[in-house]
Amino acid sequence: PVGTWLLYLPCTWSIGLAAEPGCLPDWHMLSLFGIGAVLMRGAGCTINDMWDRDYDKKVARTASRPLAAGDISTFQSFVFLGGQLSLALCVLLCLNYYSIVLGAASLSLVITYPLMKRITYWPQLILGLTFNWGALLGWSAIKGSCEWSVCLPLYLAGVMWTLVYDTIYAHQDKRDDIIIGVKSTALQFQEDTKQWLSGFSLAMLLSLCMAGMNCNQTFPYYSAVAAIGAHLAHQIYTLDIDKPEDCWKKFASNRTVGVLLFVGIVLGNL
């Protein structure tokens, strides 16, 4: 459920920023993107489990997943994936033509992301590019095209945010990852993790300020950005990268970061 929120929230930011001054975000679009987030997060998990079924067997946290445990066959998972993607396509076809093309373009990232941990120590960056596509799509769904001076900084902020929370998440599995030979930013940064997370957080906050300035956001928006900065600072300062339960707690708290920004956007618009 946390992962679905983390996929959905960048969509809400973009839809909120695209609303006219003095207006609430488009609730129809928020609902549509909510359904899309559930479906595409599910499809991403299915694809991930299909690629990783042999790895998942060797990791304590993932050994009980249906494919890894042998509860379902690869063919059954293909059928299930087909159902998920078909329903997600129905949601996408409710949008304008520009958004349909833009949304379809993200599918290559969804399919290839699970392979990245075999190739690079930066799979979290690819996840960021994938998970924050809604920061582009939400705006185009409202406006008919992207305003790049707003959408690109917002997208970059989301990518930096993903590098923060998914590096923390990856520290849960680092011992197993070393044994089975997969890569992550947690293994790349090791004891320097907090310095890297601080840099990503700063880049996120600067990008959010740029996005806000480029669409004439107001005081509540920047107050939310400041609150996010405080939340991230506390999260990083108190993080214990060697305690999986603390890593999970910090990872899950990032839903609060996304909600804070959405509330700031809505109040700033009003």
Side-chain angles (χ1 to χ4, degrees), residues 127-166:
L127 181 68
L129 296 173
T130 308
F131 246 53
N132 294 283
W133 205 259
L136 308 176
L137 197 56
W139 184 284
S140 75
I142 301 293
K143 299 286 193 181
S145 63
C146 284
E147 174 60 58
W148 295 110
S149 65
V150 178
C151 293
L152 280 181
L154 189 66
Y155 182 55
L156 178 62
V159 173
M160 294 297 108
W161 181 43
T162 303
L163 279 164
V164 172
Y165 67 66
D166 208 56

Coordinates of all heavy atoms in Angstrom, one line a residue, residues 127-166:
L127 N 14.1 3.6 -10.9 CA 12.8 3.5 -10.3 C 12.2 5.0 -10.2 O 11.0 5.2 -10.4 CB 12.9 2.9 -8.9 CG 11.6 2.8 -8.1 CD1 10.6 1.8 -8.8 CD2 11.8 2.5 -6.6
G128 N 13.1 5.9 -9.8 CA 12.6 7.3 -9.7 C 12.1 7.8 -11.0 O 11.0 8.5 -11.1
L129 N 12.8 7.5 -12.1 CA 12.3 8.0 -13.5 C 10.9 7.3 -13.8 O 10.1 7.9 -14.4 CB 13.3 7.6 -14.5 CG 14.7 8.2 -14.5 CD1 15.6 7.6 -15.5 CD2 14.5 9.8 -14.7
T130 N 10.7 6.1 -13.3 CA 9.5 5.4 -13.6 C 8.3 5.8 -12.6 O 7.2 6.1 -13.1 CB 9.7 3.8 -13.3 OG1 10.9 3.4 -14.0 CG2 8.5 3.0 -13.7
F131 N 8.6 5.9 -11.3 CA 7.6 6.2 -10.4 C 7.0 7.6 -10.4 O 5.9 7.8 -9.9 CB 8.1 5.8 -9.0 CG 7.5 4.7 -8.3 CD1 7.4 3.5 -8.9 CD2 6.9 4.8 -7.0 CE1 6.8 2.4 -8.3 CE2 6.3 3.7 -6.4 CZ 6.3 2.5 -7.1
N132 N 7.8 8.5 -11.0 CA 7.4 9.9 -10.9 C 6.8 10.4 -12.3 O 6.7 11.6 -12.5 CB 8.5 10.8 -10.4 CG 8.9 10.5 -9.0 OD1 8.2 10.9 -8.1 ND2 9.9 9.7 -8.8
W133 N 6.6 9.4 -13.2 CA 6.0 9.8 -14.5 C 4.7 10.6 -14.4 O 4.4 11.4 -15.2 CB 5.8 8.6 -15.3 CG 5.8 8.8 -16.8 CD1 4.7 8.9 -17.7 CD2 7.0 9.0 -17.6 NE1 5.1 9.1 -18.9 CE2 6.5 9.2 -19.0 CE3 8.3 9.0 -17.4 CZ2 7.4 9.4 -20.0 CZ3 9.2 9.2 -18.4 CH2 8.7 9.4 -19.8
G134 N 4.0 10.3 -13.3 CA 2.7 11.0 -13.0 C 2.9 12.5 -12.8 O 2.0 13.3 -13.0
A135 N 4.1 13.0 -12.5 CA 4.4 14.4 -12.3 C 4.3 15.1 -13.7 O 4.0 16.3 -13.8 CB 5.8 14.6 -11.7
L136 N 4.5 14.4 -14.8 CA 4.3 14.9 -16.1 C 2.9 14.6 -16.6 O 2.3 15.5 -17.2 CB 5.3 14.2 -17.1 CG 6.8 14.2 -16.7 CD1 7.6 13.3 -17.8 CD2 7.4 15.6 -16.6
L137 N 2.4 13.5 -16.3 CA 1.1 13.0 -16.9 C -0.1 13.8 -16.3 O -1.0 14.1 -17.0 CB 1.0 11.5 -16.7 CG -0.1 10.8 -17.5 CD1 0.2 10.9 -19.0 CD2 0.0 9.3 -17.1
G138 N 0.0 14.1 -15.0 CA -1.1 14.8 -14.3 C -1.3 16.1 -14.9 O -2.5 16.5 -15.2
W139 N -0.3 16.9 -15.2 CA -0.4 18.2 -15.8 C -1.0 18.1 -17.2 O -1.9 18.8 -17.6 CB 1.0 18.9 -15.8 CG 1.0 20.3 -16.3 CD1 0.8 20.7 -17.6 CD2 1.0 21.5 -15.6 NE1 0.8 22.1 -17.7 CE2 0.9 22.6 -16.5 CE3 1.2 21.8 -14.2 CZ2 1.0 23.9 -16.0 CZ3 1.2 23.1 -13.8 CH2 1.1 24.1 -14.7
S140 N -0.4 17.2 -18.0 CA -0.9 17.1 -19.4 C -2.4 16.6 -19.5 O -3.1 17.0 -20.4 CB 0.0 16.1 -20.2 OG -0.2 14.8 -19.9
A141 N -2.8 15.8 -18.5 CA -4.2 15.3 -18.4 C -5.1 16.5 -18.2 O -6.3 16.5 -18.7 CB -4.4 14.3 -17.4
I142 N -4.7 17.5 -17.5 CA -5.5 18.7 -17.2 C -5.4 19.7 -18.3 O -6.4 20.3 -18.8 CB -5.1 19.4 -15.9 CG1 -5.3 18.4 -14.7 CG2 -5.9 20.7 -15.6 CD1 -6.7 18.0 -14.4
K143 N -4.2 20.0 -18.8 CA -3.9 21.1 -19.7 C -3.8 20.7 -21.1 O -3.8 21.6 -22.0 CB -2.5 21.8 -19.3 CG -2.5 22.4 -17.9 CD -3.3 23.7 -17.8 CE -3.0 24.4 -16.5 NZ -3.8 25.7 -16.4
G144 N -3.6 19.4 -21.4 CA -3.5 19.0 -22.8 C -2.1 18.9 -23.3 O -1.9 18.3 -24.4
S145 N -1.1 19.4 -22.6 CA 0.3 19.2 -22.9 C 1.1 19.6 -21.6 O 0.5 20.1 -20.7 CB 0.7 20.1 -24.1 OG 0.5 21.5 -23.8
C146 N 2.4 19.4 -21.7 CA 3.2 19.7 -20.5 C 3.8 21.1 -20.6 O 4.2 21.5 -21.6 CB 4.4 18.7 -20.4 SG 3.9 17.1 -19.8
E147 N 3.7 21.8 -19.5 CA 4.5 23.1 -19.3 C 5.8 22.7 -18.7 O 5.9 22.5 -17.5 CB 3.7 24.0 -18.4 CG 4.4 25.3 -18.1 CD 4.8 26.1 -19.3 OE1 3.9 26.5 -20.1 OE2 6.0 26.4 -19.5
W148 N 6.8 22.6 -19.5 CA 8.1 22.0 -19.1 C 8.8 22.7 -18.0 O 9.5 22.2 -17.2 CB 9.0 21.7 -20.3 CG 8.4 20.8 -21.2 CD1 8.0 21.0 -22.5 CD2 8.2 19.4 -21.0 NE1 7.5 19.9 -23.1 CE2 7.6 18.8 -22.2 CE3 8.5 18.5 -20.0 CZ2 7.3 17.5 -22.3 CZ3 8.2 17.1 -20.1 CH2 7.6 16.7 -21.3
S149 N 8.6 24.0 -17.9 CA 9.2 24.9 -16.9 C 8.7 24.5 -15.5 O 9.4 24.7 -14.5 CB 9.0 26.3 -17.1 OG 7.6 26.7 -17.0
V150 N 7.5 23.9 -15.4 CA 6.9 23.4 -14.2 C 7.1 21.9 -14.0 O 7.6 21.4 -13.0 CB 5.4 23.8 -14.1 CG1 4.8 23.2 -12.8 CG2 5.2 25.3 -14.2
C151 N 6.8 21.2 -15.1 CA 6.8 19.7 -15.0 C 8.1 19.1 -14.8 O 8.3 18.1 -14.0 CB 6.1 19.1 -16.3 SG 4.4 19.5 -16.4
L152 N 9.2 19.6 -15.5 CA 10.5 19.0 -15.4 C 11.1 19.2 -14.0 O 11.6 18.3 -13.4 CB 11.4 19.6 -16.4 CG 11.3 19.0 -17.8 CD1 12.3 19.6 -18.8 CD2 11.5 17.5 -17.8
P153 N 11.0 20.4 -13.4 CA 11.5 20.5 -12.0 C 10.7 19.7 -11.0 O 11.2 19.1 -10.1 CB 11.3 22.0 -11.6 CG 11.2 22.7 -12.9 CD 10.7 21.8 -13.9
L154 N 9.4 19.5 -11.2 CA 8.5 18.7 -10.4 C 9.0 17.2 -10.5 O 9.1 16.5 -9.5 CB 7.1 18.9 -10.7 CG 6.1 18.2 -9.8 CD1 6.1 18.9 -8.4 CD2 4.6 18.3 -10.4
Y155 N 9.2 16.8 -11.8 CA 9.6 15.4 -12.0 C 11.0 15.2 -11.4 O 11.2 14.1 -10.8 CB 9.7 15.3 -13.6 CG 10.1 13.9 -14.1 CD1 9.4 12.8 -13.7 CD2 11.1 13.7 -15.0 CE1 9.7 11.5 -14.1 CE2 11.5 12.5 -15.4 CZ 10.8 11.4 -15.0 OH 11.1 10.1 -15.5
L156 N 11.9 16.1 -11.5 CA 13.2 16.0 -10.9 C 13.1 15.9 -9.4 O 13.8 15.1 -8.8 CB 14.1 17.2 -11.3 CG 15.5 17.2 -10.7 CD1 16.3 16.0 -11.2 CD2 16.3 18.5 -11.1
A157 N 12.3 16.7 -8.8 CA 12.1 16.6 -7.4 C 11.6 15.2 -7.0 O 12.1 14.7 -6.0 CB 11.0 17.7 -6.9
G158 N 10.7 14.7 -7.8 CA 10.2 13.3 -7.5 C 11.3 12.3 -7.6 O 11.4 11.4 -6.8
V159 N 12.1 12.4 -8.6 CA 13.2 11.5 -8.8 C 14.2 11.5 -7.6 O 14.6 10.5 -7.1 CB 14.0 11.7 -10.1 CG1 15.2 10.9 -10.2 CG2 13.1 11.5 -11.3
M160 N 14.5 12.7 -7.2 CA 15.4 12.9 -6.0 C 14.7 12.3 -4.7 O 15.4 11.6 -3.9 CB 15.7 14.4 -5.8 CG 16.5 15.0 -6.8 SD 18.2 14.3 -7.0 CE 18.0 13.4 -8.6
W161 N 13.5 12.5 -4.6 CA 12.7 11.9 -3.5 C 12.8 10.4 -3.5 O 13.0 9.8 -2.5 CB 11.3 12.4 -3.6 CG 10.3 12.0 -2.5 CD1 10.6 11.9 -1.1 CD2 9.0 11.6 -2.6 NE1 9.5 11.5 -0.4 CE2 8.5 11.3 -1.3 CE3 8.1 11.4 -3.7 CZ2 7.2 10.8 -1.1 CZ3 6.8 11.0 -3.5 CH2 6.4 10.7 -2.2
T162 N 12.6 9.8 -4.7 CA 12.7 8.3 -4.8 C 14.0 7.8 -4.4 O 14.2 6.8 -3.8 CB 12.3 7.9 -6.2 OG1 11.0 8.4 -6.5 CG2 12.3 6.4 -6.3
L163 N 15.1 8.5 -4.8 CA 16.4 8.2 -4.4 C 16.6 8.2 -2.9 O 17.3 7.3 -2.4 CB 17.5 9.1 -5.1 CG 17.8 8.8 -6.6 CD1 18.5 10.0 -7.2 CD2 18.7 7.5 -6.7
V164 N 15.9 9.1 -2.2 CA 16.0 9.1 -0.8 C 15.3 7.9 -0.2 O 15.9 7.0 0.5 CB 15.3 10.4 -0.2 CG1 15.2 10.3 1.3 CG2 16.2 11.6 -0.6
Y165 N 14.0 7.7 -0.5 CA 13.2 6.7 0.2 C 13.6 5.3 -0.3 O 13.6 4.3 0.5 CB 11.7 6.9 0.1 CG 11.0 6.8 -1.2 CD1 10.9 5.7 -1.9 CD2 10.4 8.0 -1.7 CE1 10.2 5.6 -3.1 CE2 9.7 7.9 -2.9 CZ 9.6 6.7 -3.6 OH 8.9 6.7 -4.8
D166 N 14.0 5.1 -1.6 CA 14.3 3.7 -2.0 C 15.7 3.3 -1.6 O 16.0 2.1 -1.5 CB 14.0 3.6 -3.5 CG 13.7 2.1 -3.8 OD1 12.7 1.6 -3.3 OD2 14.4 1.5 -4.7

